[in-house]
Amino acid sequence: MIDKKEIIPEDILDSIFRRIDEVERDLHSYITILKEEAYDQAKIIRGRLEKGEDLPLGGIPIAIKDIICTKGVETTCASKILKGFYPPYDATVVNRVKKAGAIIIGKTNLDEFAMGSSTENSAFGPTRNPWCLERVPGGSSGGSAAAVAAGETILSLGSDTGGSVRQPASFCGIVGLKPTYGLVSRYGLIAYASSLDQIGPMTKDVKDCALLLQVIAGKDDMDSTSLNVSLPNYLDACEAGDLRGIKLGIPKEYISEALDPSVAKVVEEAKRAFERLGAKICEISLPHTEYALPTYYIIAPAEASSNLARYDGVQYGLRIKGESLREMYLETRTNGFGDEVKRRIMIGTYVLSAGYYDAFYLKALKVRRLVKMDFDEAFKVVDYILTPTSPTPAFRIGEKVEDPLLMYLSDIFTVPVNLAGIPAISINGGFSQEGLPIGIQIMGRALDEFGLLKVASAFERETELHAYRPYGR
Amino acid sequence: MRVTMEDVEHVMKLANLDLKGEEKEKMLKHFSRILDYFTKLQELDTTQIEPLSHVIEESTPLREDEVREGLDQEDVLKMAPEREFGYIKVPRIVE
């Protein structure tokens, strides 16, 4: 519509900010809203569009998870320790969406330093699920997911270390993609667990997801782990007709009696939809699945304990004064970090400490290889793997905060993907009896985002489930 | 797995955190439970398995050793919690 000059970027902003005025007080999807800056930006973009510039995201509002650096805009990681941090540079993804003409309208809420599965661990208060305000939106990219679901933005970016894009996408009934490790630059993404973190698009449908991925993917000299690969046209993936000749595997380890019945039902219905599309479904085995979660919860905190050592009150962020340097470190870190972050730093420090390194950390790295080998074997037999995204629909606020282990179990179906570095997408697969969205996850071979989008898009067209929105919109 | 308060205190020291009273008790409780869960990995025989620390296993590429523009000094100091005479100020280190 923008291309046809039927509407101008300011019109879109008007509608988005009206929506924010209506629902943000209930939801708290944002930490920072950039209304004035957005309109300034819209004016510039309109000028560029009028000149005929080709801007793939020209005038489209986007919300950025507040763990991704934005030049001159406060970036907090939902932590007291970074309150008042205004990065002097843009993350590569921010740079790329700006170049493509997108308008950044705000920074979204998250679990502090992306540690959590419910967006309850934010120093600025929790985000609520737009489908049911008593429930969590998932985490850690809960703000980004809620904002898209409720129409408070069109696109958003999240980060996914153990499922933080896919699980909230599932809880909020939107699309969330975790790309192959290295496809999207991590430069300017504030590190949680560097070998697992990956930035991903969160959108209302698969086509938007393809469009946003196209803009952010690709080699970046500022990130030595970014891959130098040629990119297909991801939008073409959304044109595919059917899925004949495609083999989808369902791992038996993911479908147990412990699974919430509404989730099991949705997977069963999804299976039938894929069969209607011509895909062949078979049972496979990923034998090390049950070991993936403890492996993740050793490796991620180990890397976090090292990455978060930089928050000491010296160069930026919070400083609580002390008589000595050590006292300043202790006071700043103890007062600046929330409970879950402290817990993970402690766990990480412990598993890396002398005497425990071999038993925990080294062991976990070996099991990580076994998890990856499971996928290598599976992809010799099938093209894609279909699983639930999360074992339950969105749970109630407060339900799991006192039991970290119970909370960690929310990620049981998403973490193996990060350990193996492969891509996976979560799309809405149906609803529970209470009307809560339930996501299905499709995993693919490394760098086969095109195929994932193709499969997801065909499913979307077949079921039209993405068209349902909370608040009847 | 038995974790003692001494273990928690030792890790607190290594991690530069200073927990007190109830917070420390809670950490001990959660710590034991989480570490217990980790012992599940001991069920697996991994003697023949190479550790995988990173999925991109090729060696880290090195860029050309050329002079590049760094961040502006003023921009960096703007972020500092305390500054003096163009430097970041910290408490005295050497007595």
Side-chain angles (χ1 to χ4, degrees), chain A residues 317-393:
Chain A
L318 178 78
R319 171 183 293 189
I320 296 183
K321 286 190 182 179
E323 285 300 307
S324 65
L325 196 66
R326 183 161 166 79
E327 208 180 291
M328 183 184 91
Y329 290 164
L330 283 177
E331 289 300 318
T332 301
R333 290 168 62 79
T334 305
N335 290 290
F337 290 133
D339 287 350
E340 184 58 31
V341 175
K342 282 186 216 167
R343 190 151 49 228
R344 292 199 196 186
I345 290 174
M346 294 276 290
I347 294 284
T349 305
Y350 184 84
V351 298
L352 289 175
S353 66
Y356 298 103
Y357 181 90
D358 284 4
F360 288 110
Y361 185 64
L362 194 65
K363 182 84 184 178
L365 292 186
K366 291 181 170 191
V367 182
R368 182 177 188 179
R369 186 174 295 278
L370 292 174
V371 170
K372 185 172 184 290
M373 284 160 67
D374 279 358
F375 283 113
D376 293 343
E377 286 306 307
F379 285 126
K380 284 180 189 162
V381 185
V382 295
D383 301 303
Y384 302 97
I385 297 172
L386 171 68
T387 75
T389 308
S390 176
T392 65

Side-chain angles (χ1 to χ4, degrees), chain A residues 85 157 242 334 401 411 449:
Chain A
F85 172 59
L157 285 177
D242 60 47
T334 305
V401 269
D411 304 335
E449 277 74 6

Side-chain angles (χ1 to χ4, degrees), chain A residues 85-89 181-182 194-195 222 224-225 227 288 290-291 293-295 297-298 303 313-319 321-326 328-331 333-334 337 339 342-343 345-347 349-351 353 356 359-370 372 402-406 408-409 418-421, chain B residues 1-4 7-20 23-24 26-63 68 71-72 75-83 88-93 95:
Chain A
F85 172 59
Y86 293 81
Y89 63 94
Y181 185 84
S194 314
S195 83
M222 302 302 277
S224 66
T225 59
L227 298 169
H288 295 95
E290 60 177 312
Y291 302 100
L293 199 67
T295 300
Y297 277 100
I298 291 171
E303 293 186 21
V314 175
Q315 295 177 73
Y316 42 75
L318 178 78
R319 171 183 293 189
K321 286 190 182 179
E323 285 300 307
S324 65
L325 196 66
R326 183 161 166 79
M328 183 184 91
Y329 290 164
L330 283 177
E331 289 300 318
R333 290 168 62 79
T334 305
F337 290 133
D339 287 350
K342 282 186 216 167
R343 190 151 49 228
I345 290 174
M346 294 276 290
I347 294 284
T349 305
Y350 184 84
V351 298
S353 66
Y356 298 103
F360 288 110
Y361 185 64
L362 194 65
K363 182 84 184 178
L365 292 186
K366 291 181 170 191
V367 182
R368 182 177 188 179
R369 186 174 295 278
L370 292 174
K372 185 172 184 290
E402 281 306 309
D403 188 345
L405 209 52
L406 199 63
Y408 296 172
L409 287 166
N418 300 72
L419 292 172
Chain B
M1 202 182 142
R2 200 176 133 66
V3 187
T4 63
D7 292 329
V8 171
E9 282 166 354
H10 176 61
V11 177
M12 270 168 44
K13 212 169 134 193
L14 294 175
N16 273 323
L17 289 169
D18 186 22
L19 312 182
K20 291 194 179 80
E23 208 183 357
K24 211 156 78 173
K26 209 160 114 183
M27 186 67 80
L28 176 64
K29 199 179 97 195
H30 288 155
F31 226 72
S32 304
R33 202 147 169 251
I34 294 165
L35 291 172
D36 253 345
Y37 180 54
F38 291 168
T39 54
K40 180 164 185 58
L41 298 188
Q42 305 310 325
E43 292 169 9
L44 292 171
D45 177 13
T46 50
T47 40
Q48 300 301 316
I49 307 294
E50 280 294 307
L52 175 69
S53 57
H54 210 280
V55 286
I56 299 172
E57 291 189 278
E58 292 101 58
S59 61
T60 309
L62 299 176
R63 68 167 170 83
R68 283 187 184 184
L71 289 172
D72 181 76
D75 283 346
V76 172
L77 284 173
K78 248 194 264 172
M79 290 189 284
E82 236 184 312
R83 58 192 280 189
I88 293 170
K89 192 178 171 187
V90 292
R92 181 187 291 274
I93 298 166
E95 290 302 322

Side-chain angles (χ1 to χ4, degrees), chain A residues 102-118:
Chain A
I103 297 172
I104 294 174
I105 55 166
K107 304 296 295 285
T108 50
N109 201 11
L110 65 149
D111 285 299
E112 185 178 356
F113 283 101
M115 296 180 189
S117 311
S118 66

Side-chain angles (χ1 to χ4, degrees), chain A residues 78-196:
Chain A
S79 181
K80 276 196 282 184
I81 214 160
L82 272 177
K83 182 96 185 88
F85 172 59
Y86 293 81
Y89 63 94
D90 273 328
T92 296
V93 290
V94 171
N95 205 353
R96 288 185 179 172
V97 298
K98 278 184 179 173
K99 267 200 184 131
I103 297 172
I104 294 174
I105 55 166
K107 304 296 295 285
T108 50
N109 201 11
L110 65 149
D111 285 299
E112 185 178 356
F113 283 101
M115 296 180 189
S117 311
S118 66
T119 315
E120 287 166 292
N121 303 320
S122 163
F124 303 101
T127 297
R128 289 167 183 271
N129 190 314
W131 293 88
C132 170
L133 296 178
E134 282 75 52
R135 293 182 187 260
V136 304
S140 62
S141 313
S144 291
V148 170
E152 292 184 289
T153 184
I154 293 182
L155 307 172
S156 72
L157 285 177
S159 68
D160 190 314
T161 307
S164 282
V165 159
R166 290 159 287 152
Q167 186 256 24
S170 168
F171 283 11
C172 291
I174 63 161
V175 177
L177 170 71
K178 193 224 63 113
T180 304
Y181 185 84
L183 182 67
V184 175
S185 168
R186 286 179 299 113
Y187 177 71
L189 167 67
I190 295 176
Y192 157 21
S194 314
S195 83
L196 305 159

